[in-house]
Amino acid sequence: MEVTSLSNRLHDPFRTAFDSLDEFADLISQVLKCPVTIEDSNHRLLAYSTHDERTDPARISTIIGRRVPEKVINQLWKEGTIPALLKTNEPIRVKSIDDVGLSNRVAISIWKQEEVIGFIWALEIDKSLTDDDFFLLKQAADAAKNKLLQLQTRKNKKEERSQEFFWKLLTGHLKVQEEILENFHTLQITPSSSFAILVFQFNENITSKEEQNISYLLKTNQRLKIMLYTIDCNQLILLISAEGLENPLTELEQFSQVFIIKMGDRYGVRDITPVLSGIYKDYQKIRQAYEETLSVLSIKQKFPFETKDIYNYQKLGIYQFLGLLLEKRKTEEYENYSLTKLHDYDQKHNSNLVETLEIFLNNDNNINDAAKELNVHANTLNYRLKRIAEIGEVNFKDPNQKMMLYLDLKLEKYQGI
């Protein structure tokens, strides 16, 4: 027995030329006597053995969809299988997970120096793989490396061209619709009939390792079609299809939240802010859509409390127009008489009537909610409102005056006064 085991270890059945990964998958399957699949690092199917009809629902879905179903990937993360595969070059035994149609199997990562570039999965249908089989699987992973590197080089070149094209769209350098569509065709990307720009702003510049993790999450996502994406310092920028979505803004926000949760749970990256443009049909307006997302980020920075639940341009309301209003104010000698008097009173008496007024208006004139936010009794707030009405000559029954006060309060904050 020991002699047989030693001879198995000395002989490498995979040290041979093979024309395709499919041919190589068949060879592994013949050697190990079980069905085999080979995936890239984002769980897209590269090859599978064809001579063995034994399989399970997860493998069938992977072959049909040309990638591992998202529910299977999520479960393998929860069970700790994928985190383990990203840390070791040893084979890992995976127990069956009936909920996602996964039977017993063994997986091994294919490494290029410190980076995982793919996986080999071997199903244990009628047999359990032995230690010798594990050794053979390691030899197979080593032999597959060069073939996967060739595929990765071609993929990286395509991604470079895609990013260059995307930046031309974001900066408005491509203005002719025919030229834009021709670029999509050259990159083998099908442009959707409608789209949105989605930006995730991270707290710090995105590292190369985080780039890999982001790429993995985007390419294993099966909720939405991501046509193009790029990274700019601390921002991840995506062009996402809205085609076929019943409630596109809601579904895009839901996708954003799932992405943020996974970045936190899997990689420990938190405090990510998502912002979304409106829905567009004209690809010549991608720059406009991108500028909308930057506007939302700018407003959220200036008004974090008021906009804490706002993530898309459509829901900014009056905040969309603060820049335009400010420009109008600069061309005229306008002064909100009531606000000026209240500011003067606060400065002279070290009071906070202007803050009280803003919080009252923020809470849509609700006494109880405003009092709670100010941490005062409702009677105290009523007294302050009476003083505001007297000092600033404010009529709280006049919606027009209240609207102007609200706008001018926001413009003051927008300017940093």
Side-chain angles (χ1 to χ4, degrees):
M1 183 68 183
E2 287 181 10
V3 174
T4 306
S5 177
L6 181 63
S7 65
N8 283 348
R9 288 172 180 269
L10 289 173
H11 172 62
D12 184 348
F14 308 112
R15 192 171 290 175
T16 178
F18 51 94
D19 294 330
S20 69
L21 276 173
D22 283 311
E23 185 184 317
F24 187 60
D26 279 332
L27 175 60
I28 302 171
S29 175
Q30 289 163 24
V31 171
L32 297 179
K33 297 181 174 58
C34 63
V36 165
T37 54
I38 302 174
E39 303 162 9
D40 70 8
S41 57
N42 298 313
H43 307 294
R44 291 183 185 271
L45 183 68
L46 298 176
Y48 62 97
S49 56
T50 55
H51 299 322
D52 199 321
E53 294 179 0
R54 298 169 298 167
T55 190
D56 63 12
R59 186 170 186 265
I60 292 169
S61 299
T62 299
I63 291 169
I64 292 171
R66 302 301 298 178
R67 59 181 179 180
V68 181
E70 193 171 3
K71 64 179 181 180
V72 176
I73 296 170
N74 290 340
Q75 198 62 40
L76 289 169
W77 270 96
K78 289 175 189 172
E79 298 283 338
T81 299
I82 293 175
L85 285 168
L86 297 175
K87 290 176 182 173
T88 181
N89 60 359
E90 295 293 327
I92 290 175
R93 184 161 263 124
V94 183
K95 295 293 182 186
S96 64
I97 308 172
D98 294 335
D99 289 349
V100 293
L102 203 77
S103 61
N104 291 340
R105 61 192 67 209
V106 172
I108 189 168
S109 307
I110 302 167
W111 289 78
K112 179 197 77 174
Q113 296 171 338
E114 301 297 312
E115 180 188 351
V116 172
I117 59 172
F119 306 96
I120 300 174
W121 298 80
L123 273 70
E124 296 181 305
I125 299 286
D126 296 326
K127 59 170 279 189
S128 289
L129 298 191
T130 64
D131 288 346
D132 282 345
D133 292 329
F134 273 33
F135 185 79
L136 288 165
L137 203 50
K138 286 185 73 171
Q139 289 178 317
D142 189 55
K145 180 173 66 176
N146 287 336
K147 204 74 174 174
L148 262 65
L149 283 173
Q150 291 172 17
L151 292 172
Q152 191 184 53
T153 301
R154 290 202 293 272
K155 183 180 72 176
N156 289 344
K157 285 179 180 175
K158 182 184 176 184
E159 286 185 358
E160 281 177 20
R161 293 198 304 274
S162 298
Q163 292 206 4
E164 183 183 350
F165 169 48
F166 194 19
W167 274 114
K168 285 180 179 177
L169 291 172
L170 291 170
T171 53
H173 280 83
L174 287 178
K175 294 185 172 68
V176 181
Q177 183 79 348
E178 289 75 13
E179 188 181 357
I180 293 170
L181 295 176
E182 187 181 326
N183 272 273
F184 273 117
H185 179 72
T186 302
L187 291 165
Q188 297 177 311
I189 299 169
T190 305
S192 298
S193 60
S194 58
F195 65 88
I197 295 291
L198 173 59
V199 174
F200 291 97
Q201 181 157 289
F202 289 61
N203 264 354
E204 296 177 354
N205 285 355
I206 296 165
T207 66
S208 56
K209 182 61 182 171
E210 285 166 355
E211 278 193 42
Q212 288 179 24
N213 297 336
I214 287 166
S215 174
Y216 175 87
L217 283 185
L218 296 180
K219 287 173 181 173
T220 55
N221 137 73
Q222 292 166 31
R223 295 167 67 94
L224 295 172
K225 178 186 173 186
I226 299 165
M227 290 180 278
L228 294 164
Y229 77 93
T230 190
I231 287 168
D232 182 28
C233 297
N234 67 332
Q235 292 181 352
L236 166 64
I237 308 161
L238 299 92
L239 176 65
I240 299 190
S241 167
E243 189 176 300
L245 301 182
E246 194 172 335
N247 301 297
L249 292 175
T250 301
E251 291 182 54
L252 287 164
E253 282 193 21
Q254 288 171 350
F255 166 81
S256 303
Q257 296 308 317
V258 170
F259 175 85
I260 289 168
I261 288 166
K262 286 182 178 177
M263 282 300 295
D265 290 349
R266 294 183 184 180
Y267 309 116
V269 179
R270 306 189 189 280
D271 298 322
I272 302 170
T273 303
V275 291
L276 186 64
S277 73
I279 306 298
Y280 284 86
K281 296 180 184 293
D282 184 352
Y283 282 91
Q284 294 162 295
K285 293 186 176 177
I286 283 184
R287 180 180 180 179
Q288 182 178 328
Y290 177 47
E291 286 175 351
E292 285 181 2
T293 63
L294 298 181
S295 294
V296 180
L297 284 170
S298 175
I299 291 293
K300 285 180 78 67
Q301 189 175 12
K302 288 184 169 72
F303 302 95
F305 176 77
E306 295 94 330
T307 62
K308 66 181 185 298
D309 297 322
I310 295 175
Y311 298 104
N312 75 61
Y313 189 75
Q314 301 293 312
K315 293 183 180 177
L316 273 182
I318 65 155
Y319 294 101
Q320 286 186 23
F321 310 112
L322 291 186
L324 293 171
L325 287 169
L326 188 59
E327 288 302 312
K328 186 177 187 304
R329 288 285 187 265
K330 287 176 181 176
T331 62
E332 55 192 33
E333 292 184 14
Y334 169 85
E335 178 183 38
N336 189 310
Y337 175 77
S338 297
L339 271 186
T340 301
K341 295 199 73 172
L342 290 170
H343 275 302
D344 289 344
Y345 184 89
D346 277 348
Q347 196 168 6
K348 188 174 179 181
H349 297 90
N350 197 26
S351 56
N352 62 345
L353 294 184
V354 173
E355 180 195 11
T356 299
L357 174 62
E358 184 177 10
I359 288 173
F360 178 64
L361 295 175
N362 280 347
N363 283 281
D364 196 23
N365 303 353
N366 187 300
I367 294 281
N368 292 326
D369 290 348
K372 186 177 179 182
E373 189 177 328
L374 285 161
N375 200 26
V376 298
H377 194 275
N379 290 340
T380 304
L381 177 55
N382 273 316
Y383 171 75
R384 287 189 193 172
L385 292 172
K386 188 179 177 183
R387 295 292 291 143
I388 288 168
E390 292 168 353
I391 295 161
E393 299 179 31
V394 175
N395 178 5
F396 283 110
K397 292 183 179 179
D398 181 353
N400 187 50
Q401 188 185 19
K402 283 191 295 185
M403 179 64 75
M404 285 307 299
L405 283 166
Y406 184 75
L407 281 171
D408 285 327
L409 282 164
K410 298 309 172 189
L411 282 170
E412 285 183 357
K413 191 176 283 189
Y414 188 69
Q415 292 177 87
I417 293 175

